[in-house]
Each structure stands twice: as structure tokens, then as C-alpha cells.
């Protein structure tokens, strides 16, 4: 018998009692059949007579049951039939059995058989256990169709299924779900965590959406439009929705406002709230806010502000527009300096009626089903998609009992659109038409335009409106918005833009000859201060305009009733009047190249009118951009972008941490063989810029070298270790043969930071510090000092010409008497710089800005096509540690697999604790505390790039970033006059340095 059959036989006989003994070699059966058990008394005597020479021990062979030449089919059906088989079986009865054991074994078999019959062994239903030819379709819902022996089990299954059955949600049909009121309620339910803008649905169909700062925003278009958006900003018009920006409104006496606001800004950085041109309400201002009396430390962030024009009252009104990432810090500081701790009012919306509540509870499945919400605060119904999702029991206005200053949060109450490009003027004048003067109410029952009728009764306000309309029409004759004075404000009241909607998309073009003479006067005089007035400052008027807006359904119904389909729809006095505010954006103002590039207009609207203005703008030929286009807009203007380029404020630090986390996760997703080894490339921090350590290291270099008299830059072929001083490098350049090409390549020998001296100057980067701690560095924003630095690094070709240029700019020559006081005042400061590559190359994020050596500059002067030197390859000092950690993890995993009870065994706990020290080791990344970041490579590190890409405007690679003020002055002091401002750029994943020109634009 084969091994498989023996196992099968043993499996069948495993339940047999041990007292049963079978004969070893019984005779062949003629007819086959089953064995019969005679009485215990006769068994022994029969076996002794018939099988006297029978050996002991069982033998299971095939011929034990079938005779030679007999098949299985003949078993039980031979010549002897059942009788013959019965007689043959009786000849091989066991010698003896134990009755108790035999009965016990048979009882176990009977119980197992009954259990198998009564219980099903699978997850199938009772009627599914029947053979296929016995199944009927009605068995699933009619128990009596089943055999009687299975009906009881089927009833139990049915009762059990009823109890386990979940309550089915009453889903409405698609037609009911697509009704407008149900759609709005469903959309409002979906924007509880992330607020939608009023243009969200339009963007969601055409843009990649991201969730940032509590909003759901369009990041970039789904179509290929990178170059098209640049062309729109340069030659046409680009539209952006900036309604996610937060508006903080301050009301109170002018003296009290200016007194406290002067504490959070400085005249050293430029404009302040007290600037005369901005205080009159004619122009918009921009500045950087700091914590009270803490300048230049504790940066809060950049803001723009608008004063309401004076109306003869002592009280003034101020709007401060901030980025949503900066809102909480700035609002907290404003409430602190004005002592506005008590809420003025609580924004409680109207309660939901029973009929409205039924309509609001839209059910589209289990996810959308509302359960019993006992004790939960009811959410008010919002009739506008994108209406500010505010907590109805949270205060949004605060007042000071001592000064009377009131602070209100008007976020999402005022919408904000931005038009960028030279065609912005033409698009504005074609889309918007000044409202007509109305002296009588269209319908006495409604409040539509009642505020406009009352104001039109005043002749002074009518004349002001006509003056504003005349100036607005002159915009069509201007070639670009940059022709207007920077930050010009123009108030206006316009009609419903949906009435002037063209049949198909058109392209608005300017008409320069129409208002040629009047436009010249506008260039000289500008917009008068009175024309900056707008009714959008009045809360009651904005609320009236929002609530009495004509719906799209009513407007389409009026169009359908026109005698000539497609003709102009004249609503007459029933047309809505909307107050708006136009604010000119100056575009690129710093530097000499491309002045005014990226200029445009900001349009401020009351809430609820978002799509009513958005679609008409689209029909005039604008291209829509998202967050990425806004980032590129600021990049081409060479201005810092919020919050990316503000590393000294809390929002900038948070952004850097999130960016580091995302880049690290992306790095770990790649296998080790497919990702860069940054340790060998000499990149200490590829995912975050260690600004704090950079400034501290440069401060230490200045103290160690005793000023700039003794240069302390490392040798080109060696770098300092963390444990040695800056003036005494001991790093060795090791020559090792490359295994691929056999060429010798220079390798940097870097020691680990385990044996480094623990000095106070060397600390970890700011990304690893607690958020509550203030940053240990600042960003230099003093306009006077920035202009001085800009003159020192201005590109020139001759020494004499440079002296004349500096004297023409009114700046001092670079001497120690001039720059040493600057270094003493700002020992740990960063400077915002622009970089332009001399040759090929594309700068990337977190690229290193380094100081070229004398040999590099000499080589460049001899060979104009010289791109730059190469960084010698470093040795990976963490490779062995990572390999040991990997082997230890494998050993631990194998041990867990072998020993199943390891989880409950306390002996395995010390092994986990032993490996905790090396859990953060990643192959290719620097795992210990960072050494001196300035001298880690062969070229001294000066700063880092925060944004870099190929510039379509210049045709070469450009980058923006920060450098250490101490390192910048050290480099400019030691560079020759004709090489001032030349630096080296190296991307984190490359060894190639490339020459670039460093400039500071103010």
C-alpha cells in the first residue's frame, strides 16, 4: 500500500478502540462486504480453529479485502451475494473486544454524525445545502417549500436575519436629490470641516482640489496650462479667487487705532498704518506685522490694509487682509493690544423650522444619514453655497470697554477676486456697467434697491457716483493697470453683470483712441480721494444686496419671455445694484527689469454674488489660475510668498515642517536603490532648511576668526569635522577607485557627530524645536540696510564704475567701519536674495548657496564656458549602522515567526528597547545631530533656496532664497570688485556646482 493510502486508512481508523485487534493476513473474500461482529464468547474459539498459524499484529493490504483478479465493483455482488460476503466476514472476526471502550467509541461516532446532520458546516443557508436538483426559487422566502426536516432550521435562520438586518435608509430618487434646496443642504453638510468658496463647484470640475488652511481650494488646472497661464499674466488676463483671504475689520477713534497699531509695525520696514496716502483712503498699503514692541523679532506675517475714506466723523473703519495661515496669530495680537476680550455679539442664525428641517435632512446613503442628535447644537440652514461655515455659538466680534475699539471678523462676508494682466482694464469695463440712477422704488413690497433709491435722492452722492463712473470708463483706454498709481482704490456701484452676458465667449480688447486726452489727465492727477468711497463698507447694505439677489431661475424665466430670443434683457428698476471696490495691484516694483509685470485689479464683492461675477469674467476671455499660479506670479515678481517664504513666523515654520514630512514620506516610498544617498552627496538637510543653525554657525565663524581680517573658508579639497575648530580643518580627502569605470574619485571623509564637542552655538534646526519657542534668527527687512547691501553686490565690470555707482545711489563704500556695526546689530539675520544662473542649470527646492573659492573665480575668468566645480563624494558613515539595524529587524522578525508566544513573553521587551535608538535611521539621510552646516562641504554654505525653476521671462534658471547676513558681507568683502555677487548653487541630489549672480531687489 502506498503512503497516501496508508495515511487515508489511518485517518479512517483513528476513532477505533484500542481493544479491537484485526488479523494480520486473512484469507481472500469471495463476495466482499462489511464485517459482522459475533458474540464475544464464540470469537476466540473460532479464530483458534480456523487460523492456528496466524501471526500477531494487523496488516492492511489490498488483497485483504479483494481476491486476485477481483475488482471493486464486484464487492458485495459476487456469486455468493450478501450471504457469501457475510460468511466470509465471519471468518475474520477479531479475537476479543472490550465492550465499554467499543461502545464509547461508537457513541462518539454517532454524536459526531448527528451533529454534522443537524448543523451546517458552512456560511450557506439551509436551502443552499440541498442538491441542485432539489432546489427551488421560492425556498428563499417560503419555508414550506423546503423538506420538513429542514424547515425548523430555516425558520431560525429567518428570525436571526431579521434581528441582524440593519435599518435601511430611505434614499430619495435622483430627481429629488438634485433639487436645488436639497443640493445646497447636501453641499453645506459636506463643507463642515473644509469651507467651500462660492466658486468651489466650478473649480472642482476643472481643477485639482487641495484642502489647506481650513478651505477646499483649487491647486492647478487639470489641463496643460503652465505656459498658457504665464502668457495670460504677461499679455492677456488671469483670474484668481482670493476669497479665502481673511478680512479683519477695526472700528474706533482714529487716534486710538493709530496709537496701538504703531506698536506692531515699524517705519524701518517701509509703510505704516499712519502713512498719509493710505490714511486718506485713496491707496492700499502693505506691511509686515510683529508682536507688540518686539521688532525686529517675533514676526507675525505680511498684511494689506485699506482705510475707509473720511466722512466727517471721528470714528474710522479699517480693513486688514491676512492670509488664513496667519489669521489666528494676528487676531490674537490685535485683541491683546486693544484689550478686546469681551465679545460684542454672537452670530446666531435663524432657527430651522420643522418644514425646513425635513428638507435639510437629505439622505443619499448611509454616510449622509442623520441620526438622533439629542443635545447637539443645530446647524443653521445656509442658502448660499460657500457661505461662511461659522459656528453659530462662536463670537466673531469683540469690543474694548476702555478704548471703545471693535474688532470684527468679516471672513467670507466679503469676496475677493484678482485680475492679473494688461487686459484687466478692458475686461472690467466690458463686464461691469455703472448702475443707473434710480429715484423710485420698483416694488413697494420688497426691499430691493431701497438703499440705492435713498442715496440717489442726495445730489452730492449722485454726482460722486457719476464721477466714479467716468473714471471707471477711462480704464478702457489704458494699456495696462500698471499705468495707475500703485494701490489706487476706486469705489463703484454696478448693475447685475448677468444681464450683459454675451452669447458666446469673446475677448475684450482696449480702445486707446477713445479716451486719449482724459486718460492723460488721469495719469497726472490720479483718482480723487472722494471716489474711493463705496457702499460696501456698510454692513446693512451688503446684507440687503445679498438677500434680495434675483435668482438664476427667475432670471432665466425672464429671458424666456423675451419676444426676440437672445436679445438684451432690460430689467429696468428691478435690476440689482451691487456696491464693489476696485484696488489696483502694482505688480513688479523692485528691480530694474520688467517693471509693472503682473499688475492687475482686486475686486471686492458682497457675499452671495460670487458666481454672478465669475461667469461674466470667464465669458470675456480670462484664464483661471489656482494656488500654483499664484505661487508662480510671486516668483516672477521676485517677492516672498505667504507662508512659504516667511521662515521667521509661526506659519512659515509650520509650513516647513509639513513640507519636510511630505518630502520624507515620498523619499521613503522609493526603494533604497532608486533614491539618492544624501550623505554621500554631502547634503545634511535635503528636506528642510536649517536656518537657525546656519545663522549660529556663521556667528561662530565670525567670533572664531576675529572678524573678517583672517579668512576662515575651508580648503576646496577638504572640509571640517564637527569636533574641530573652523580654522583648523582635519578632514582628509581619500582617493578610492570607482568600481564602475575604474577612475579615481575624491571622497570626503566625514566623522560622526558622536565625538563632537557639545557647544551652545551648535543646535538643531528650527524644525525640531517646540512651536511655542521664538525663532533664534530674524529676517532683515530694513529698507535702508537692504538698499545698502543691494548696492554692494550690484553687478559691474569695473572697479571705478562701481564707486561711481555707489555714490550715485547715495550709499557708502564697503569698509569695516560701515559693515561691522551692521553685524553687531544683526548677528543672526537672513537676507532675501534673488539668484540667476550664468549658464545652464535648473535650481531646485532646498538647493545650497555657496561661496566660490579663488580658484573657482580664476577658472571662470579664464574659461567663460566653465559651469562650476564638483563636490567630492563623501563617505556614508551611517551605512554600517543602517545595515546592523536591518539585520537586527530580520532576526527579530524570524524569532517572532518561530516562537508564536513571543507577544505574551516579557523576555522580548528588552530587545525592542534596545532597537529604539536606531529606529530613525534611514539609508541616505544624516541621522545624528547636524554638524557645522557651513563647512560640511568643500564650498562654504551661505544659504538655501526656497523656490527655484526655469524662468520663462528670462530664459534661464532663477531662484529665490535666504542667505546669512554675516556670510554675505564676508563674501562681498573678500571678493574682487569685478566678481562681486557671484555665488555657487548646488541642488541636494547633485555634486555639480553652478555659477549664479546674486542680487537684492528693494
Amino acid at each position: 500500500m502506498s503512503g497516501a493510502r496508508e495515511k487515508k486508512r489511518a485517518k479512517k481508523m483513528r476513532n477505533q478502540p484500542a481493544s479491537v485487534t484485526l488479523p494480520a493476513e486473512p484469507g481472500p473474500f469471495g463476495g466482499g462486504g462489511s464485517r459482522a461482529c459475533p458474540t464475544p464468547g464464540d470469537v476466540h474459539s473460532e479464530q483458534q480453529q480456523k487460523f492456528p498459524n496466524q501471526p500477531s499484529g494487523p496488516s492492511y493490504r489490498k488483497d485483504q479485502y479483494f481476491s486476485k483478479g477481483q475488482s471493486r465493483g464486484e464487492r458485495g455482488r459476487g456469486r455468493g451475494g450478501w450471504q457469501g460476503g457475510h460468511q466470509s466476514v465471519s471468518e475474520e472476526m477479531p479475537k476479543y473486544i472490550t465492550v465499554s471502550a467499543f461502545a464509547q467509541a461508537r457513541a462518539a461516532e454517532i454524536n459526531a454524525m448527528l451533529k454534522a446532520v443537524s448543523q451546517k458546516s458552512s456560511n450557506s443557508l439551509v436551502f443552499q445545502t440541498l442538491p441542485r436538483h432539489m432546489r427551488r426559487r421560492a425556498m428563499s422566502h417560503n419555508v414550506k417549500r423546503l423538506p420538513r426536516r429542514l424547515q425548523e432550521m430555516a425558520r431560525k435562520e429567518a428570525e436571526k436575519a431579521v434581528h441582524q438586518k440593519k435599518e435601511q435608509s430611505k434614499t430619495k430618487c435622483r430627481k429629488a436629490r438634485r433639487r436645488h434646496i436639497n443640493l445646497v443642504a447636501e453641499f453645506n453638510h459636506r463643507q463642515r470641516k473644509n469651507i467651500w468658496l462660492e466658486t468651489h463647484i466650478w473649480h472642482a470640475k476643472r481643477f485639482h482640489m487641495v484642502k489647506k488652511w481650513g478651505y477646499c481650494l483649487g491647486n492647478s488646472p487639470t489641463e496643460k496650462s503652465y505656459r498658457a497661464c504665464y502668457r495670460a499674466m504677461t499679455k492677456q488676463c488671469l483670474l484668481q479667487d482670493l476669497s479665502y483671504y481673511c478680512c479683519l475689520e477695526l472700528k474706533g477713534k482714529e487716534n486710538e487705532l493709530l496709537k496701538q497699531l504703531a506698536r506692531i509695525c515699524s517705519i524701518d520696514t517701509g509703510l505704516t498704518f499712519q502713512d498719509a496716502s493710505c490714511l486718506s483712503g485713496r491707496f492700499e498699503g502693505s506691511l509686515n506685522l510683529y508682536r507688540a514692541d518686539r521688532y525686529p523679532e517675533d514676526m507675525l506675517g505680511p498684511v494689506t490694509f485699506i482705510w475707509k475714506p473720511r466722512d466727517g466723523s471721528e470714528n474710522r473703519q479699517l480693513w486688514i487682509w491676512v492670509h488664513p495661515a496667519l489669521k489666528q496669530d494676528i487676531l490674537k495680537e490685535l485683541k491683546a493690544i486693544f484689550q478686546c476680550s469681551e465679545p460684542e455679539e454672537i452670530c446666531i442664525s435663524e432657527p430651522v423650522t420643522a418644514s425646513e428641517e425635513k428638507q435639510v435632512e437629505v439622505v443619499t446613503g448611509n454616510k449622509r444619514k442623520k441620526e438622533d442628535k439629542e443635545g447637539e447644537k443645530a446647524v443653521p440652514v445656509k442658502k448660499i453655497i460657500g457661505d461662511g461655515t461659522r459656528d453659530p455659538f462662536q463670537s466673531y466680534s469683540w469690543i474694548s470697554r476702555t478704548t471703545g475699539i471693535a474688532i470684527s471678523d468679516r471672513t467670507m462676508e466679503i469676496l475677493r477676486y484678482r485680475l492679473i494682466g494688461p487686459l484687466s482694464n478692458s475686461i472690467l469695463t466690458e463686464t461691469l456697467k455703472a448702475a443707473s440712477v434710480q429715484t423710485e422704488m420698483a416694488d413697494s413690497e420688497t426691499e430691493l434697491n431701497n438703499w440705492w433709491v435713498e442715496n440717489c435722492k442726495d445730489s452730492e452722492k449722485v454726482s460722486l457716483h457719476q464721477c466714479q463712473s467716468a473714471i471707471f470708463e477711462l480704464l478702457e483706454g489704458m494699456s495696462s493697470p500698471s499705468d495707475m498709481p500703485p494701490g489706487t482704490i476706486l469705489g463703484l456701484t454696478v448693475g447685475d453683470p448677468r444681464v450683459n452676458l454675451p452669447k458666446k465667449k469673446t475677448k475684450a480688447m482696449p480702445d486707446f483712441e477713445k479716451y486719449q486726452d482724459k486718460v492723460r489727465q488721469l495719469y497726472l492727477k490720479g483718482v480723487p480721494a472722494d471716489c474711493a468711497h463705496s457702499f460696501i463698507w456698510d454692513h446693512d447694505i451688503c446684507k440687503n444686496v445679498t438677500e434680495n439677489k434675483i435668482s438664476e431661475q427667475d432670471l432665466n424665466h425672464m429671458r424666456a419671455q423675451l419676444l426676440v430670443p437672445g436679445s438684451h434683457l432690460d430689467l429696468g428698476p428691478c435690476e440689482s445694484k451691487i456696491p464693489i471696490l476696485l484696488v489696483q495691484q502694482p505688480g513688479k516694483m523692485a528691480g530694474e527689469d520688467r517693471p509693472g509685470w503682473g499688475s492687475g485689479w482686486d475686486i471686492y464683492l458682497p457675499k452671495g454674488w460670487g458666481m454672478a461675477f465669475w461667469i461674466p469674467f470667464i465669458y470675456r476671455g480670462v484664464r483661471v489660475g489656482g494656488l500654483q499660479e499664484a505661487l508662480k506670479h510671486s516668483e516672477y515678481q521676485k517677492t516672498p510668498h505667504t507662508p512659504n517664504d516667511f521662515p521667521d513666523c509661526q506659519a512659515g515654520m509650520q509650513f516647513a515642517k509639513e513640507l519636510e514630512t511630505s518630502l520624507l514620506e515620498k523619499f521613503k516610498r522609493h526603494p533604497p536603490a532608486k533614491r539618492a544617498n544624501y550623505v554621500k552627496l554631502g547634503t545634511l538637510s535635503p528636506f528642510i532648511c536649517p536656518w537657525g543653525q546656519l545663522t549660529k554657525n556663521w556667528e561662530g565663524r565670525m567670533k572664531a576668526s576675529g572678524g573678517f581680517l583672517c579668512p576662515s573658508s575651508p580648503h576646496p579639497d577638504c572640509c571640517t569635522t564637527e569636533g574641530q575648530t573652523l580654522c583648523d580643518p582635519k578632514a582628509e580627502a581619500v582617493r578610492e577607485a570607482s568600481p564602475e569605470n575604474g577612475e579615481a574619485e575624491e571622497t570626503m571623509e566625514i566623522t560622526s557627530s558622536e565625538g563632537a564637542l557639545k557647544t551652545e552655538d551648535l543646535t538643531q534646526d528650527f524644525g525640531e524645536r517646540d512651536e511655542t519657542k521664538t525663532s533664534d534668527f530674524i529676517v532683515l527687512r530694513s529698507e535702508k540696510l537692504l538698499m545698502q547691501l543691494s548696492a554692494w553686490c550690484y553687478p559691474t565690470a569695473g572697479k571705478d564704475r562701481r564707486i561711481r555707482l555707489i555714490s550715485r545711489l547715495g550709499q557708502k563704500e564697503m569698509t569695516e567701519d560701515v559693515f561691522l556695526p551692521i553685524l553687531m546689530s544683526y548677528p543672526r539675520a537672513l537676507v532675501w536674495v534673488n539668484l540667476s544662473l550664468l549658464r545652464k542649470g535648473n535650481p531646485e527646492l532646498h538647493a545650497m548657496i555657496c561661496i566660490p573659492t579663488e580658484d573657482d573665480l580664476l577658472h571662470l575668468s579664464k574659461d567663460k564656458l566653465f559651469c562650476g566645480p564638483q563636490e567630492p563624494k563623501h563617505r556614508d558613515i551611517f551605512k554600517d549602522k543602517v545595515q546592523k539595524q536591518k539585520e537586527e529587524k530580520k532576526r527579530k522578525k524570524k524569532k517572532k515567526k518561530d516562537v508564536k508566544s513571543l507577544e505574551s513573553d516579557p523576555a522580548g521587551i528588552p530587545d525592542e528597547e534596545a532597537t529604539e535608538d536606531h529606529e530613525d535611521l534611514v539609508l541616505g539621510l544624516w541621522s545624528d545631530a547636524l554638524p557645522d552646516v557651513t563647512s560640511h562641504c568643500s564650498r562654504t554654505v551661505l544659504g538655501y533656496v526656497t523656490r527655484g525653476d526655469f524662468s520663462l521671462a528670462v530664459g534661464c534658471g532663477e531662484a529665490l532664497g535666504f542667505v546669512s547676513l554675516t556670510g554675505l558681507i564676508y563674501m562681498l568683502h573678500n571678493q574682487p570688485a569685478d566678481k562681486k555677487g557671484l555665488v555657487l548653487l548646488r541642488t541636494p541630489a547633485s555634486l555639480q556646482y553652478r555659477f549664479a549672480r546674486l542680487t537684492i531687489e528693494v
Side-chain angles (χ1 to χ4, degrees), residues 909-937:
I909 299 176
D911 295 339
E912 296 179 1
E913 295 177 353
T915 59
E916 283 182 358
D917 298 334
H918 303 285
E919 282 183 356
D920 57 343
L921 291 179
V922 180
L923 184 63
L925 296 180
W926 191 276
S927 303
D928 288 346
L930 295 183
D932 189 348
V933 296
T934 60
S935 58
H936 178 72
C937 301

Side-chain angles (χ1 to χ4, degrees), residues 178-192:
R178 297 297 298 177
R179 289 191 185 119
H180 179 69
I181 186 169
N182 294 339
L183 273 179
V184 173
E186 173 66 13
F187 293 155
N188 291 331
H189 178 81
R190 287 163 56 186
Q191 57 173 312
R192 293 192 176 186

Side-chain angles (χ1 to χ4, degrees), residues 802-862:
R802 183 166 191 80
I803 296 175
R804 290 196 301 269
L805 176 65
I806 292 176
S807 61
R808 180 167 58 87
L809 294 176
Q811 305 298 332
K812 301 177 182 179
E813 184 64 25
M814 189 175 186
T815 59
E816 289 190 4
D817 297 336
V818 177
F819 64 73
L820 283 181
I822 299 176
L823 295 179
M824 297 302 294
S825 303
Y826 303 97
R828 297 180 182 178
L830 297 175
V831 182
W832 174 257
V833 296
N834 310 319
L835 301 157
S836 181
L837 292 176
L838 300 184
R839 299 285 181 266
K840 65 179 183 179
N842 190 18
E844 297 177 1
L845 180 67
H846 300 152
M848 289 165 282
I849 307 171
C850 304
I851 302 176
T853 61
E854 295 181 1
D855 295 340
D856 297 336
L857 297 176
L858 183 62
H859 195 173
L860 179 64
S861 60
K862 292 181 179 180

Side-chain angles (χ1 to χ4, degrees), residues 15 79 177 197 279 314 352 434 475 686 715 816 822 937 974:
N15 291 327
R79 289 174 294 179
R177 294 197 306 267
L197 306 183
L279 193 60
E314 188 179 7
V352 184
L475 297 180
H715 193 269
E816 289 190 4
I822 299 176
C937 301
N974 294 321

Side-chain angles (χ1 to χ4, degrees), residues 8 68 269 307 314 326 360 657 710 876 932:
K8 188 175 181 181
K68 188 175 181 181
T269 60
W307 285 96
E314 188 179 7
L326 315 171
V360 171
K657 287 183 179 180
C710 301
D876 190 355
D932 189 348

Side-chain angles (χ1 to χ4, degrees), residues 331-432:
L331 180 60
K332 183 179 178 182
E333 191 67 22
L334 289 175
K335 287 169 27 177
I337 62 174
F338 289 111
Q339 301 175 0
C340 297
S341 57
E342 299 181 7
E344 182 183 14
E345 58 182 357
I346 297 178
C347 177
I348 301 179
S349 302
E350 297 178 359
V352 184
T353 61
S355 61
E356 289 177 344
E357 191 172 1
K358 291 179 181 178
Q359 293 176 341
V360 171
E361 292 183 1
V362 179
V363 183
T364 59
N366 292 334
K367 291 185 178 179
R368 297 291 178 261
K369 184 187 171 192
K370 288 191 176 181
E371 301 175 356
D372 261 338
K373 300 188 176 181
E374 297 179 359
E376 189 175 344
K377 300 172 183 177
V379 179
V381 179
K382 292 174 295 180
K383 299 179 181 180
I384 304 170
I385 298 175
D387 190 7
T389 310
R390 292 182 165 183
D391 187 352
F393 295 92
Q394 185 176 352
S395 58
Y396 288 87
S397 183
W398 303 267
I399 191 169
S400 173
R401 300 300 179 187
T402 57
T403 60
I405 303 296
I407 302 176
S408 302
D409 182 8
R410 300 202 65 189
T411 304
M412 297 295 294
E413 298 293 312
I414 303 295
L415 308 182
R416 183 178 177 182
Y417 294 160
R418 175 167 290 179
L419 293 171
I420 303 172
L423 296 184
S424 302
N425 293 341
S426 306
I427 289 172
L428 275 177
T429 53
E430 283 199 20
T431 305
L432 307 179

